[in-house]
Structures are given as C-alpha cells and as structure tokens.
C-alpha cells in the first residue's frame, strides 16, 4: 500500500471518530446553577419520590385510630326494632312494638388500649416519614456523587485526548522532517482514536448519570459545586437510626395489635336502651314501658389464645427483622470505615506518584520533540501520567463518596 493511501485511510478514521466524539447525545445536558444547593435538590426528590403518597396515607390511618380511641363507645351504635302481631294466627289483637338503640361498651382498660393503638400508629407514621427522608437523602447523595464522578471522568478523558492530539502533532512534524518513520505517525494516530473512543464512553456515562438524576428529582439543573460533607463523629449505629426507629415502632404496633386482637376475641359488653308498647287483646289498653338490656360476654380463653397467636407471630418476626437490620447496618459501617482507611492511606502515595509521573511525562515529551527518545518511550510516559492523574482525582472523589456513605449508614442526613 502506498504511503499516501495509508495516510488517507488514517485521516478518514480520525475524522470518523472525531465526529462521534463531538456529536451531542440524544439527551439535554444538565445546567449548573450556583443558586441550587443540596436542600433544594433533596426537596425536589422528596416530591418526586414514588413513596411520597404513603406519608399522607399513614398519617390518615393514625388519625383514624386516635379518633377511635377517644370515643366513649366501640364501633357504631345500632338501632333495633321488634314487632309482634297475632293477626295471622289467633287474631286476639295481641300487639308488641319494641324500638331501641344498642351500643358496645369498653371493658375496663380497653379504652386506654385503643388509645395506645392510635398512638402506636402515629409513632409509626412519624418513624416512616423519618425513614423516608433518610432514604431519599441517600438517593440524592449517590446521584450527585455519580454526576460529579462522571463529569470529572469526562474532563480527564478530554485532557487525555488533547495530550494525544499534541503528541500526534509532534510526531507528524518530526515525520515531515524525516526524523521519524510513517509507522510512528500511524501509531500516534491510532492512540488518538483510542483515546477519543474513551472520551465518547465517558460522555455516555455522564448522560446516564444525568438521566438518573433527572428521573430522581424531575430537575434539569444541578448544583454548580460538588456536594461535600464532614465525616460523622458517630462510631456505631445509634438506636435512633431512622430504619431501626421504624422497626421499633412496628414492634410497638405489633404489641398494640395483640391487645386489640385479644379484645376483639373477648367481645365487648353491650347496652341497649329502648321502649316497648304492648297489649294482650283488643279490649285491653296499650302499656308503654322503658327497658334497659345489658349483654356481657365471658369465658373463651382458648379462642383468645388462638386469635392472638398470629399477632404474636408478627411481633416476633418484626423483632427478628430489627436484630438483622442492626447487624447488617453494623457490617456496612465497618466496611465503609475500612474502605475510608484504605483510601486515606493510598491518597498520599497516589499524590506523590502523580507528581513523579507528570514530571516524567513532561521530560519525555520534551525529549521526544527534540528527537532524543522514541515514540514508545513517550507513549509509556504519557499513559502513566494520565493513569496516575485519573487515579488521584477519582480517589479523592471516592473518599468524599465514602464519607457520604458513612453518614448515610449511621443515619445522618445533611
């Protein structure tokens, strides 16, 4: 193949990859706003969260049970009526008409149990809202961290692309003067194409991160400054952790449901107040009277035990879930602590390595421009410099991500 043909093919490939790299993805990039902060993004994510309607439903449920515990009777009153007439049989003129209202009454201590049930539902609603806020804070933390990581990666790949372009310019200049063979030019151009492909992949990662952020928040803007947090001073999982607090409220609610199931199995006494109008035969006058009827159920301990067994089982399951959650959170905390420790130990070494690599790359590039080193040597120095710079900056971002993960695991929100 002729030299001009090979150069023309390399130029076409370069133009093709260049058009790919500069093409805009089918996604509107996020705009940065200095007026937007974490709290604003967090509130937007709260409003857009699919779990948001559950807050209102749980509050309404709690209010219903609280109102039930404040009543002086259980359930709804009922109207009763009886009519007796012997017209279809003896037809002596017998008439009895009864009408009254029946209400279910509280057993001793039942009303306070019902109030405790309402209070338990209210505590669970509050605990759920706290847990919901904690969950959304974690999602926002990760979304912002993903955006920052993707943007930094794209900047690094863009810088690497410009360095590859400069290397190609130097190689082409030396080739034109006869100091380098054409093979070195093709190799430099191939390295540039590979780097542009990496930059294109970084653009795709950024598009995915931006899309996930927009779905989470319904926003097309993001804070202009990266989100940063201070490491929490907590060293263990607190019992006031939002998730543990939610499970503890469910344990209390399970106990309240045991009491409610027991009360329902025992039955409630009822009181009926009514009037009666009656006569024996047609010749007799009607007699009007007022009556009081009391119904008190008793016994049934076996039925009570059977009815509450399922409620007790639910409480035990929730207690087991609480123990597992505490154990899992403790494991996650230790893992994040260990990862943070390793990052801190690695950062100093990565910074020193990056300084050495950058100096070596500058020296190698100058020597190559002066014709004092080979392309293989300068490419190796370039790759080491790019790798060390990328590792250092991404390691710094990973440290901040792990700090936010640590704060999230211990239950703290910004």
């Amino acid at each position: 193949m002729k030299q001009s043909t090979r150069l023309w093919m390399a130029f076409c490939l370069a133009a093709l990859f260049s058009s790919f790299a500069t093409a805009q993805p089918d996604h509107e990039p996020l705009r940065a706003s200095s007026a937007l902060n974490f709290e604003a993004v967090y509130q937007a994510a709260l409003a857009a969260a699919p779990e948001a309607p559950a807050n209102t439903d749980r509050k309404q449920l709690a209010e219903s049970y609280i109102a039930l515990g404040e009543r002086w009777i259980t359930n709804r009153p009922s109207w009763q009526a009886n009519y007796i007439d012997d017209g279809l049989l003896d037809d002596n003129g017998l008439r009895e008409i009864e009408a009254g209202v029946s209400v279910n009454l509280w057993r001793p201590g039942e009303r306070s149990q019902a109030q405790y049930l309402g209070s338990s539902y209210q505590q669970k609603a509050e605990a759920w809202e706290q847990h919901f806020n904690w969950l959304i804070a974690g999602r926002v933390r990760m979304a912002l961290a993903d955006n920052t990581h993707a943007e930094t990666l794209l900047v690094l790949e863009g810088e690497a692309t410009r360095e590859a372009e400069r290397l190609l310019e130097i190689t082409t200049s030396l080739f034109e003067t006869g100091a380098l063979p054409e093979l070195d030019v093709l190799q430099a151009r191939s390295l540039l194409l590979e780097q542009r492909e990496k930059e294109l992949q970084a653009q795709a990662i950024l598009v995915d991160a931006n899309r996930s952020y927009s779905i989470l928040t319904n926003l097309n803007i993001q804070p202009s400054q990266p989100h940063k947090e201070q490491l929490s001073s907590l060293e263990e999982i607190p019992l006031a952790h939002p998730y543990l607090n939610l499970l503890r409220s469910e344990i209390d609610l399970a106990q309240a449901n045991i009491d409610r199931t027991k009360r329902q199995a025992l039955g409630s006494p009822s009181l009926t107040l009514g009037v009666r109008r009656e006569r024996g035969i047609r010749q007799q006058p009607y007699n009007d009277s007022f009556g009081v009827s009391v119904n008190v159920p008793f016994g049934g301990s076996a039925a009570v035990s059977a009815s509450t067994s399922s409620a007790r089982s639910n409480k035990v399951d929730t207690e087991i879930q609480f123990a597992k959650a505490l154990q899992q959170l403790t494991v996650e905390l230790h893992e994040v602590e260990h990862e943070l420790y390793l990052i801190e130990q690695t950062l100093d070494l990565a910074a020193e390595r990056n300084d050495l690599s950058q100096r070596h790359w500058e020296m190698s590039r100058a020597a190559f421009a002066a014709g004092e080193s080979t392309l293989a040597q300068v490419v190796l120095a370039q790759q080491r410099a790019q790798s060390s710079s990328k590792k250092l900056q991404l390691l710094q971002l990973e440290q901040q991500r792990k700090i936010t993960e640590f704060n999230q695991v211990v239950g703290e929100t910004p």
Side-chain angles (χ1 to χ4, degrees):
M1 183 181 295
K2 295 183 179 180
Q3 175 180 344
S4 58
T5 304
R6 287 197 298 267
L7 288 175
W8 174 250
M9 291 180 61
F11 175 77
C12 291
L13 287 173
L16 178 63
F17 275 96
S18 177
S19 63
F20 286 162
T22 56
Q24 294 295 328
D26 188 18
H27 179 74
E28 186 70 20
L30 295 176
R31 294 182 291 106
S33 172
S34 58
L36 195 66
N37 55 16
F38 181 90
E39 181 63 23
V41 176
Y42 170 64
Q43 293 298 329
L46 284 176
E51 303 94 338
N55 281 335
T56 303
D57 293 339
R58 291 175 187 272
K59 290 178 180 178
Q60 291 177 348
L61 180 63
E63 291 172 357
S64 299
Y65 276 98
I66 290 175
L68 180 62
E70 293 175 349
R71 299 178 60 188
W72 288 100
I73 61 174
T74 64
N75 297 325
R76 296 177 297 173
S78 60
W79 181 76
Q80 296 180 354
N82 293 322
Y83 177 76
I84 300 176
D85 188 342
D86 67 345
L88 297 178
L89 298 174
D90 295 338
D91 195 19
N92 292 322
L94 174 66
R95 298 287 188 276
E96 289 187 10
I97 302 172
E98 293 181 342
V101 176
S102 179
V103 295
N104 292 327
L105 304 177
W106 298 105
R107 285 177 177 270
E110 278 187 327
R111 189 162 182 261
S112 61
Q113 290 178 355
Q115 292 173 345
Y116 173 68
L117 178 63
S119 176
S120 298
Y121 271 106
Q122 185 177 31
Q123 290 176 2
K124 182 178 179 180
E126 294 172 354
W128 164 257
E129 184 174 9
Q130 183 185 14
H131 174 257
F132 170 68
N133 294 340
W134 172 73
L135 280 179
I136 301 304
R139 295 175 189 175
V140 173
R141 280 165 162 163
M142 292 303 101
L144 291 176
D146 289 342
N147 274 349
T148 302
H149 180 275
E151 290 171 354
T152 303
L153 182 62
L154 181 59
V155 170
L156 292 173
E157 296 298 350
E159 293 175 353
T161 299
R162 287 188 290 274
E163 290 293 340
E165 291 173 347
R166 292 176 61 186
L167 180 62
L168 177 60
E169 292 175 359
I170 296 174
T171 306
T172 303
S173 177
L174 293 176
F175 165 72
E176 292 174 351
T177 62
L180 289 178
E182 182 187 4
L183 183 61
D184 286 351
V185 176
L186 296 178
Q187 183 179 356
R189 189 174 296 277
S190 176
L191 291 174
L192 175 59
L193 297 180
E194 292 177 2
Q195 181 53 46
R196 285 177 175 170
E197 184 178 0
K198 291 180 181 179
E199 186 177 0
L200 187 62
Q201 292 173 353
Q203 288 179 347
I205 293 174
L206 179 59
V207 168
D208 290 339
N210 288 351
R211 182 180 293 111
S212 298
Y213 170 87
S214 296
I215 293 174
L216 176 65
T217 62
N218 278 340
L219 297 175
N220 60 357
I221 57 175
Q222 65 175 337
S224 57
Q225 297 298 322
H227 175 64
K228 295 183 178 181
E229 297 181 20
Q230 295 294 325
L231 185 66
S232 172
S233 59
L234 295 176
E235 297 180 356
E236 59 183 13
I237 303 297
L239 293 180
H241 189 284
Y243 185 41
L244 298 181
N245 194 34
L246 175 63
L247 293 177
R248 191 164 54 248
S249 70
E250 291 182 352
I251 294 174
D252 295 339
L253 180 58
Q255 179 60 52
N257 279 322
I258 292 175
D259 298 336
R260 180 184 64 173
T261 304
K262 183 186 298 184
R263 185 182 74 241
Q264 292 175 343
L266 286 172
S268 299
S270 61
L271 174 67
T272 302
L273 304 176
V275 294
R276 173 185 289 185
R277 185 177 178 84
E278 60 182 342
R279 73 180 181 185
I281 57 177
R282 290 187 179 88
Q283 292 77 14
Q284 292 180 345
Y286 279 100
N287 293 322
D288 296 328
S289 60
F290 174 79
V292 177
S293 175
V294 179
N295 181 11
V296 181
F298 62 91
S301 59
V304 172
S305 178
S307 300
T308 58
S309 60
S310 177
R312 295 184 186 278
S313 177
N314 290 336
K315 181 184 178 183
V316 172
D317 290 343
T318 307
E319 290 173 342
I320 294 174
Q321 187 179 0
F322 178 88
K324 288 183 176 180
L326 179 58
Q327 186 180 58
Q328 180 62 31
L329 287 171
T330 303
V331 170
E332 293 178 3
L333 177 62
H334 291 327
E335 289 179 352
V336 176
E337 282 181 330
H338 181 65
E339 291 170 352
L340 267 174
Y341 172 78
L342 292 179
I343 290 175
E344 291 173 356
Q345 297 299 314
T346 309
L347 269 174
D348 292 339
L349 297 177
E352 184 177 358
R353 179 182 178 184
N354 180 61
D355 290 339
L356 294 176
S357 299
Q358 297 301 326
R359 291 172 57 190
H360 185 205
W361 159 236
E362 293 174 0
M363 294 172 63
S364 298
R365 184 174 57 191
F368 180 70
E372 298 176 357
S373 65
T374 64
L375 179 63
Q377 292 174 333
V378 75
V379 167
L380 181 60
Q382 181 190 42
Q383 291 175 344
R384 286 177 176 175
Q386 293 172 354
S387 175
S388 61
S389 177
K390 180 186 297 185
K391 182 176 181 179
L392 176 61
Q393 295 190 48
L394 296 183
L395 198 61
Q396 292 170 341
L397 293 179
E398 186 65 16
Q399 182 185 36
Q400 185 55 230
R401 179 191 289 268
K402 291 303 175 182
I403 289 176
T404 59
E405 287 184 11
F406 182 95
N407 296 342
Q408 179 71 15
V409 170
V410 298
E412 291 188 353
T413 55

